[in-house]
Amino acid sequence: MPIGSAPRALRILIAEDSVLVREGLLRVLDRFGHQVVATLPDAEGFIEAIAEHQPDLLITDVRLPPSFGEEGLRAAAAVRRQYPAMPILIVSQYIKRIYASELMAFGDGVGIGYLLKERIGDLAAFAEALQTVVDGGTVFDPEVVREILRHDRDPIRRLSAREREVLALIAEGRSNAATARALSVSEAAVGKHVGAILAKLNLPPDEGSHRRVLAVRAYLNG
């Protein structure tokens, strides 16, 4: 019996060299009713595995054999170039600002996430993060967000302290309602902050764009 419920069962491809982490992910995903269609111990064969299994989501580490450099990220970028609609979730123990920037540069309106392995303790939240990414949203671990916040950036420096707080929570994948609860303000107040953020980042209404994703991208790339 799953310990939580997702809107639908997902077909997931995992690239992870650690047997313990890989087996842990398999058990957690199974308990939520998701199907792991294949596991890869390295970055070799990403494209072939995607073509063969056509998963709903790719979960990969950043550092994979043989050099444990950025093979996972480079392979994920190659997947995104060939399969631009493929949702990708990076699960790593490393916080690297450039990794987040590279992820956001893959494209707008397609699900992207960056979570830290040691902080995946809330299984229900992890399941929700999976669905958010598959649905085209962005989910970044709070520690990743805080690391990015340490850098002074344009155009983000145009934002007020409260607006930066709101944008940081959006980058974590939170809705306006969840952001309002986190900041102990009304949802209407959050909506006004979001409007101000979009205006200051020069993101006017456009039916063809995902302005919240573009705002998060500016936040991470700045």
Side-chain angles (χ1 to χ4, degrees):
M1 183 74 178
I3 59 177
S5 60
R8 65 185 177 93
L10 303 175
R11 303 179 73 257
I12 299 173
L13 175 67
I14 297 175
E16 170 59 59
D17 68 292
S18 168
V19 175
L20 289 177
V21 174
R22 195 163 63 237
E23 289 300 315
L25 283 172
L26 284 168
R27 292 186 180 186
V28 169
L29 294 171
D30 180 68
R31 292 175 71 182
F32 279 100
H34 300 312
Q35 178 187 3
V36 176
V37 295
T39 61
L40 302 174
D42 52 41
E44 296 294 326
F46 266 40
I47 299 297
E48 293 80 0
I50 295 290
E52 178 181 355
H53 300 286
Q54 300 183 359
D56 299 309
L57 174 69
L58 167 63
I59 298 178
T60 181
D61 197 349
V62 169
R63 297 185 177 183
L64 291 173
S67 69
F68 294 95
E70 300 176 10
E71 282 87 349
L73 183 61
R74 289 198 297 269
V79 168
R80 181 53 59 79
R81 286 191 292 271
Q82 188 155 339
Y83 297 93
M86 175 60 59
I88 297 174
L89 175 62
I90 300 293
V91 179
S92 180
Q93 68 187 85
Y94 304 101
I95 303 177
K96 295 292 185 180
R97 180 170 171 264
I98 186 63
Y99 294 163
S101 299
E102 288 287 339
L103 284 172
M104 295 307 296
F106 288 162
D108 302 319
V110 179
I112 285 293
Y114 189 146
L115 300 178
L116 298 181
K117 290 178 181 178
E118 65 270 22
R119 291 170 58 84
I120 302 177
D122 186 335
L123 298 185
F126 179 59
E128 184 178 351
L130 296 177
Q131 195 65 51
T132 296
V133 172
V134 169
D135 289 343
T138 58
V139 178
F140 282 79
D141 188 281
E143 284 297 321
V144 176
V145 173
R146 279 193 281 272
E147 176 64 22
I148 296 167
L149 266 176
R150 296 190 180 103
H151 298 265
D152 194 12
R153 309 169 308 281
D154 271 329
I156 300 302
R157 69 178 61 178
R158 304 173 195 162
L159 305 182
S160 68
R162 176 60 87 180
E163 289 163 354
R164 292 184 188 185
E165 286 182 301
V166 169
L167 188 49
L169 291 169
I170 291 174
E172 294 174 18
R174 303 200 196 195
S175 65
N176 281 10
T179 298
R181 289 193 296 273
L183 298 177
S184 299
V185 299
S186 69
E187 191 171 345
V190 171
K192 290 181 180 179
H193 286 309
V194 171
I197 290 167
L198 297 176
K200 290 181 180 180
L201 297 182
N202 298 317
L203 295 171
D206 181 351
E207 292 183 0
S209 68
H210 300 260
R211 293 196 297 160
R212 288 171 72 97
V213 174
L214 291 174
V216 172
R217 180 175 177 178
Y219 172 71
L220 296 173
N221 285 346

